Amino acid sequence: MNIAIFHRRAWLALLIGVGVAGSQVRGDTSTDAAPVADDGVQRVTLVGGKYYFEPEHIVVRAGVPVELQARRRPGLTPHNLVIRSVPMGLDIEASLTTEPTTIRFTPRIPGRVEFYCDERLLFLPSHRDRGMVGVLEVVE
Ligand SMILES: [Cu+2]
């Protein structure tokens, strides 16, 4: 496949995806953005388990640095964290351990992107397919 065409299609799919997700109306109060500390950093804690992330909905502000303290529950199952969005400037892939890992990023623009674990055992469905998925929502 022509790489330029692939990119155009990927962008289109992304734009459509953001548009659809952005049109959802949420009534709960869990959409409040993470508080910004005195040092100007938004700190969020994220825990991965079998097969979920807690919380599964993170809200942060665009243009403000984020420190994500991510870890996994104890056990033999490996987990990672993937957050990728070209327009938001995010390209994150980190293995999770039971000790918190600090992941730093600054989302460029508002929008929504899925974060997920793409670990899988052999031919079995990935953890993402088993529901180890959340939404990072970036607001103004
Ligand atoms: Cu996992």
Side-chain angles (χ1 to χ4, degrees), residues 48-53 77-80 96 116-120 126-128 132:
K50 216 172 153 184
Y51 296 97
Y52 61 88
F53 280 109
T77 310
H79 294 294
N80 66 11
L96 301 183
Y116 55 88
C117 171
D118 72 356
E119 292 282 357
R120 77 167 69 214
S126 71
H127 295 186
R128 180 186 196 177
M132 202 165 172

